[in-house]
Amino acid sequence: MAEPQSSTSVDSEKSTLAVPRANSHIIIDGNSSDKAWQQGNWQLLNHVWVGDKPSREDFSGRYKLVWQSDALYLMAEIVDDVLFDQHPNPLHRYWDDDALEIFIDEDASGGDHTHNFNAFAYHVALDNQSADMGPRERDDKNNFLLLNHHVESVWRRSTDEPYKMIWEARILIFDDSYDYKNPNNSHPKTLTVGKKMGFMLAYCDNDGSQHREHFIGSHPITPVDGDMNQGYKNASVFAEITLLKGDNE
Ligand SMILES: [Ca+2]
Ligand SMILES: [Ca+2]
Ligand SMILES: [Ca+2]
Ligand SMILES: [Ca+2]
């Protein structure tokens, strides 16, 4: 017998990725030999949001997540044939340089986050600086910000395949009360078992063009007027993660 569809039942159908608690310490150094990474399951970065489908060498990627009470931990394995950083200013068109983009919505609320901290879209650049937009100070101007203390990351080229790099990140989780003018007043959340957060991952790949050539994400996005580039402004397109206990806990 068919159940009637309600908006709540649609929400509850949002697939959630179970993220295990790491049983051991992770060193953020671009080396994935930390024992804790064996606890995570590989997830693919294979949904093309901008551009056409890249070849494996041009771009391919996968990632794992684990957590501890202090932070969410990400390890991404990225294959990108050309690393390109055309804009030396980390706040100028950072999405058109190669960048790992980490989307976090602390309370899984969804909704608009273009000019507020309801959610974050950390664009982690090749120099490991993290940029996002903050609240508008003037009506007509974007307010690009560096939020480097939110994401500690290191990437290294791998020896096992040409063009492969290992990118590790420790992501502190801030909620929508984040005060960017007084960052010392804002403290990251302590993470606990059962917590749900909005999450996605993506990679902006550019190999030498004026604008990024590919934007490839971890999850499918329903286009709005043909445009799948929604994550930087709308947390409702994020997927959901749930923090679980680790192995043998
Ligand atoms: Ca490591
Ligand atoms: Ca490429
Ligand atoms: Ca939120
Ligand atoms: Ca590239």
Side-chain angles (χ1 to χ4, degrees), residues 58 80-84 97-98 203-208 213:
D58 192 352
D80 180 3
D81 50 353
V82 179
L83 297 183
F84 187 49
D97 290 335
D98 282 324
Y203 189 79
C204 304
D205 176 35
N206 197 342
D207 295 347
E213 296 165 13

Side-chain angles (χ1 to χ4, degrees), residues 44-183:
L44 292 177
L45 270 180
N46 61 351
H47 295 274
V48 179
W49 296 341
V50 172
D52 47 18
K53 190 176 184 305
S55 67
R56 178 177 163 79
E57 281 190 352
D58 192 352
F59 172 81
S60 47
R62 58 180 188 162
Y63 68 97
K64 289 182 175 186
L65 292 172
V66 296
W67 66 281
Q68 288 195 315
S69 59
D70 64 327
L72 182 68
Y73 290 82
L74 164 77
M75 188 263 288
E77 208 182 73
I78 302 292
V79 175
D80 180 3
D81 50 353
V82 179
L83 297 183
F84 187 49
D85 187 8
Q86 68 182 312
H87 300 299
N89 179 345
L91 294 178
H92 181 64
R93 299 194 68 86
Y94 45 78
W95 54 90
D96 281 330
D97 290 335
D98 282 324
L100 190 66
E101 189 166 341
I102 303 166
F103 301 86
I104 299 285
D105 176 5
E106 181 272 335
D107 58 356
S109 61
D112 174 76
H113 74 96
T114 320
H115 299 292
N116 58 61
F117 299 121
N118 173 29
F120 295 86
Y122 299 112
H123 297 71
V124 187
L126 290 175
D127 67 356
N128 297 103
Q129 300 204 71
S130 297
D132 190 16
M133 281 193 286
R136 278 187 155 147
E137 296 296 309
R138 282 174 34 201
D139 282 351
D140 58 337
K141 255 185 112 56
N142 287 319
N143 183 11
F144 299 113
L145 299 174
L146 285 178
L147 299 170
N148 291 340
H149 64 295
H150 291 212
V151 181
E152 174 193 0
S153 85
V154 173
W155 63 268
R156 289 278 183 273
R157 292 288 204 184
S158 164
T159 51
D160 40 288
E161 185 183 336
Y163 311 127
K164 187 195 279 186
M165 54 178 162
I166 302 293
W167 208 322
E168 287 181 305
R170 174 173 177 261
I171 306 151
L172 301 182
I173 304 299
F174 288 89
D175 67 14
D176 50 15
S177 68
Y178 180 66
D179 179 358
Y180 77 99
K181 289 182 176 169
N182 303 287

Side-chain angles (χ1 to χ4, degrees), residues 26-34 37 75 166 168:
I26 293 170
I27 300 170
I28 301 300
D29 58 358
N31 180 329
S32 58
S33 61
D34 314 77
W37 291 128
M75 188 263 288
I166 302 293
E168 287 181 305

